[in-house]
Amino acid sequence: MPSPQTGIFALGTASHAYLEFDLLSSVEAATVVARVATLREPRTTIGGVNLVAGFRPELWAAAAPDAAPSDVVGFNEPVVGPTGYALPATQHDIVVWLTGAGYDVVFDLSRDVAASLVGQAALAHEMVGWPYHHDLDLTGFIDGTENPTLVEATRHALVPPGSPGEGSSILLLQQWEHNAPSWDALPVASQEAIIGRRKSNSVELESKPETSHVARTDQDRFGRIFRRNIAYGSLQRHGTIFVGFSGNQRALADMLESMVGRRDGPPDKLTSFTRPLTGAYYVIPSAESLEAFGEDLRA
C-alpha cells in the first residue's frame, strides 16, 4: 500500500501554520501539483518542520485521476441547518500544513512555500495555531479523547488498500471562533452538559443530553476520524482550528450535518457558543503519488 505523508501523524509539535492557496487562472492543475511536490522540509534531525500538502478534491482528480479517491468533493456549498445556522464553504485549491518545535522555523518555511508558489498560486488564507495546556482546547475541555491511537490511526485516517486513492486521506479543515465571555459565564455543570463529558477528566456523561457535542458527533455512529485540532487566536478573537482526517468523506460530512440539525435529532448545543469562519475539504495524497509529480522538476 502507498505510504501516507508522515506529517499527518507527527504528534507533539508546538507550532502550526495552515496556508491555503488559490490557483491562478492561467495555471494547469498538474503544473501546480508538480510545484507543490517539490516543496521540502529543512533537512535536520533537531528542530525541523513537518510539511503536509493537499489539494481541492476536484483539482487533484484533474491532475491525478488514477490516484484520486472516489466520490470526494470540495466544500463547495454551505451546510445549513433548519434554524439557519450555517457552516460556511471557503474552499481553496491547495493547503500546506507546517508543524514544528518553534514558530520561527515554521515562519521561515511558510515564507519559502509562499515564494515557491509565486506565479502559480496566491495565498488566500493563513492560520497559525498552538497547543493549549498540552491537550485542552480553549473551552477548557480535553480535546481528542476519542482519537484513535497512532497504531489504529492509519486504519481510520487513510483510504484503504485496494480502493481508488489508497494511502491518501481526506482532510476537513475549519476555523471555529469561540464566544469566550458567554462560555466562561456558564457553570461547569452547564458546560459539561453541552460537551457531554466531565471537564476534569473527560469521562463521558452517562446521561448526556441529545444536544451535547458528544451525542451529535458520535464516532460509533458516524465512523472514526483522526483529529489534529489546535488552538489559535488573540485575546479578543480565538478558538479552535479543526483538523480532521478520514479515509471516508461521508463520516466527516455526516458529523457536520448532525451538528447543524440536518440529520435525526436537534442541533449541537456547542454551536450556540462557537461559530465557524471557514470550511474546506482537501485530498492529502499518498507520499508516492505526490512524489511522482515532482520528479521531472527536480531532474
Side-chain angles (χ1 to χ4, degrees), residues 84-128:
Y85 187 93
L87 310 181
T90 60
Q91 184 69 53
H92 299 289
D93 291 316
I94 303 162
V95 66
V96 178
W97 170 36
L98 306 172
T99 63
Y103 187 60
D104 52 353
V105 291
V106 170
F107 178 76
D108 286 344
L109 187 55
S110 295
R111 295 180 67 186
D112 291 344
V113 167
S116 296
L117 296 179
V118 166
Q120 296 194 2
L123 182 64
H125 189 235
E126 176 184 4
M127 296 181 285
V128 173

Side-chain angles (χ1 to χ4, degrees), residues 18-168:
Y18 307 83
L19 310 176
E20 294 179 281
F21 295 84
D22 287 334
L23 188 67
L24 299 185
S25 58
S26 60
V27 179
E28 297 292 332
T31 302
V32 75
V33 169
R35 178 63 61 84
V36 171
T38 66
L39 300 175
R40 287 291 179 270
E41 308 96 331
R43 295 184 179 276
T44 177
T45 57
I46 299 176
V49 184
N50 297 302
L51 185 154
V52 173
F55 305 92
R56 178 170 54 87
E58 294 86 350
L59 186 151
W60 177 248
D66 293 338
S70 300
D71 302 322
V72 180
V73 297
F75 205 132
N76 300 321
E77 300 289 340
V79 179
V80 183
T83 65
Y85 187 93
L87 310 181
T90 60
Q91 184 69 53
H92 299 289
D93 291 316
I94 303 162
V95 66
V96 178
W97 170 36
L98 306 172
T99 63
Y103 187 60
D104 52 353
V105 291
V106 170
F107 178 76
D108 286 344
L109 187 55
S110 295
R111 295 180 67 186
D112 291 344
V113 167
S116 296
L117 296 179
V118 166
Q120 296 194 2
L123 182 64
H125 189 235
E126 176 184 4
M127 296 181 285
V128 173
W130 30 266
Y132 181 64
H133 294 291
H134 180 60
D135 57 1
L136 302 183
D137 71 16
L138 292 176
T139 65
F141 282 74
I142 295 172
D143 195 3
T145 301
E146 291 290 327
N147 240 10
T149 66
L150 283 180
V151 173
E152 302 167 332
T154 55
R155 177 158 51 91
H156 302 293
L158 303 179
V159 175
S163 299
E166 61 179 337
S168 62

